[in-house]
Amino acid sequence: MFIDEAQIWVKAGDGGNGCVGFRREKYIPKGGPDGGDGGRGGNVYFQAIENLDTLMDFTGKHHWRAENGRPGSGSNKHGANGKDLVINVPPGTLIYDADLNLLLKDLNEVGMKVCICRSGRGGKGNKAFATPVNQAPRYAEPGKKGQERNIKLELRLIADVGLVGMPNAGKSTLISRCSAARPKIADYPFTTTEPVLGIVELSDFRRFVMADIPGLIEGAHKGAGLGFEFLRHIERTRIIVHILDIMPADGSDPAGNYKVIRHELKQYSKALAQKQEVIVANKIDLDPDYKIVKELKKKLKKEIRQISAVTGEGINELVELLWHKVKQLKG
Ligand SMILES: Nc1nc2c(ncn2[C@@H]2O[C@H](COP(=O)(O)OP(=O)(O)OP(=O)(O)O)[C@@H](O)[C@H]2O)c(=O)[nH]1
Ligand SMILES: [Mg+2]
């Protein structure tokens, strides 16, 4: 299950109350007020950290509070400050005030941190209120309340791996094979009309995010087809997986198709064209003696992985490879 939205309640710590106290010691009559100040409460921060990619942590826990400050005590003892609460979220999390429906912060980079609720100040002890006319005040200040807020978290996933290729190459079939995403699959071009994200889960809690976008065709940069504008999603990924149909229904040459797509990627942006690419020959089940794939490798002179998104052949290997590459690039 993948959750990309969560609503929680957060509260900063209240300040500790000030203390009413008087110095009482043997041989020191009327020692005077000595009530200490209360400590301040803890603030609530949100912080974007690496290695988190869902808002799953928030499904079971809706109330998050920072520690309250401790009250002051006698002998001018200051109460301890409450500990701050730092709530970790994945990078790409938008933080909204749920009541005002107001965007407070976009934590789009690892390491970004923002204070969302300010703590209450501690109250002053009675010592602070001593004046020449009232040298023994029996009054101390209560601590201030910490801020509280209803927060809505929204995670905009940034894909690690983007699938590109011609319509019908099998991009959606692949993503539905290796993630919980269920885009429409059909044997006609432009089945996919909107980008789809899926989380690919491997053993030992390893995972990465894959994006499926509509297919690209020749002339895409001049407005042909659908896929071109969606390349902006792919531009932010770390790796491109270029899916090649080894037996296109229109009888076109897979090697030629590869070059067509490469040309379109270059037209989109230099950054996209320079991105690391894994070339994948799909529908290997239609090429039992690997004749077509061998020829394709010879023609393109590049490393090509072979899979069948339908039978599952080669998919585990591909997913492992992608995970390792993503990990390397993430550092
Ligand atoms: N034989 C065979 N057919 C496949 C394989 N992978 C996909 N197909 C078929 O190819 C057709 C197109 O698959 P899709 O996954 O919809 O292709 P797509 O690349 O997402 O296409 P668009 O969304 O139109 O860009 C479907 O009929 C799939 O069943 C495969 O490995 N072997
Ligand atoms: Mg599709």
Side-chain angles (χ1 to χ4, degrees):
M1 184 175 50
F2 169 62
I3 285 145
D4 62 351
E5 237 187 43
Q7 189 149 346
I8 57 173
W9 175 82
V10 294
K11 185 175 180 314
D14 299 335
N17 293 334
C19 164
V20 179
F22 294 95
R23 190 170 171 199
R24 296 259 185 272
E25 252 173 86
K26 225 174 172 183
Y27 311 121
I28 307 180
K30 297 198 175 162
D34 72 350
D37 301 342
R40 69 159 183 85
N43 295 318
V44 178
Y45 295 89
F46 281 87
Q47 183 180 27
I49 63 159
E50 225 170 336
N51 299 331
L52 252 191
D53 41 22
T54 69
L55 297 175
M56 221 100 88
D57 290 354
F58 300 98
T59 50
K61 187 170 174 196
H62 300 288
H63 290 76
W64 297 72
R65 328 166 159 260
E67 222 173 64
N68 292 337
R70 306 285 306 155
S73 49
S75 315
N76 288 321
K77 276 211 208 86
H78 195 287
N81 292 333
K83 265 205 217 90
D84 291 338
L85 172 67
V86 180
I87 303 176
N88 291 328
V89 293
T93 303
L94 302 170
I95 299 173
Y96 291 90
D97 183 307
D99 300 318
L100 305 173
N101 205 9
L102 176 75
L103 178 64
L104 302 173
K105 189 79 187 174
D106 177 359
L107 293 179
N108 53 8
E109 262 172 62
V110 168
M112 278 176 85
K113 189 172 172 184
V114 60
C115 181
I116 290 294
C117 284
R118 294 248 159 240
S119 63
R121 209 167 47 68
K124 297 258 179 245
N126 67 336
K127 170 132 196 272
F129 299 100
T131 60
V133 288
N134 182 5
Q135 295 186 3
R138 297 183 170 279
Y139 166 81
E141 194 188 15
K144 294 268 187 296
K145 290 269 173 241
Q147 236 181 355
E148 59 187 275
R149 257 175 161 154
N150 287 309
I151 295 287
K152 191 180 91 188
L153 300 171
E154 211 180 86
L155 177 60
R156 237 185 1 209
L157 273 187
I158 302 166
D160 301 304
V161 170
L163 304 179
V164 296
M166 295 233 158
N168 261 335
K171 301 178 294 298
S172 303
T173 311
L174 175 62
I175 202 172
S176 61
R177 258 264 166 193
C178 54
S179 79
R182 290 290 173 266
K184 197 169 151 195
I185 295 168
D187 61 355
Y188 52 84
F190 302 118
T191 315
T192 303
T193 55
E194 288 281 323
V196 174
L197 293 181
I199 297 186
V200 181
E201 299 198 319
L202 298 85
S203 55
D204 301 323
F205 304 105
R206 294 171 302 144
R207 51 164 98 209
F208 63 86
V209 181
M210 188 181 261
D212 173 27
I213 62 163
L216 290 168
I217 54 172
E218 184 160 17
H221 68 282
K222 291 186 197 133
L226 293 173
F228 202 64
E229 64 160 308
F230 298 109
L231 285 177
R232 70 192 141 88
H233 296 279
I234 303 295
E235 200 173 26
R236 296 164 71 191
T237 66
R238 291 166 206 273
I239 301 170
I240 303 173
V241 174
H242 192 148
I243 307 283
L244 285 173
D245 184 345
I246 55 163
M247 221 179 262
D250 61 1
S252 55
D253 170 34
N257 290 344
Y258 172 79
K259 285 175 189 151
V260 167
I261 298 290
R262 285 305 305 173
H263 180 69
E264 296 300 329
L265 297 181
K266 267 189 213 123
Q267 295 300 313
Y268 185 86
S269 80
K270 213 173 147 188
L272 189 57
Q274 284 171 351
K275 211 174 275 293
Q276 222 189 100
E277 179 193 51
V278 174
I279 309 172
V280 173
N282 185 31
K283 310 197 184 179
I284 198 79
D285 52 298
L286 303 177
D287 181 23
D289 44 12
Y290 304 126
K291 239 172 87 186
I292 305 172
V293 177
K294 274 184 202 144
E295 201 183 302
L296 187 59
K297 285 180 182 165
K298 219 188 282 167
K299 270 196 196 161
L300 293 181
K301 297 189 188 66
K302 290 190 189 273
E303 200 173 348
I304 299 177
R305 318 271 152 187
Q306 51 204 50
I307 63 163
S308 167
V310 162
T311 66
E313 181 182 343
I315 289 191
N316 285 346
E317 293 85 343
L318 174 66
V319 165
E320 285 290 338
L321 172 82
L322 293 175
W323 185 82
H324 282 286
K325 282 188 183 285
V326 167
K327 186 169 174 246
Q328 232 170 34
L329 292 173
K330 274 187 172 173

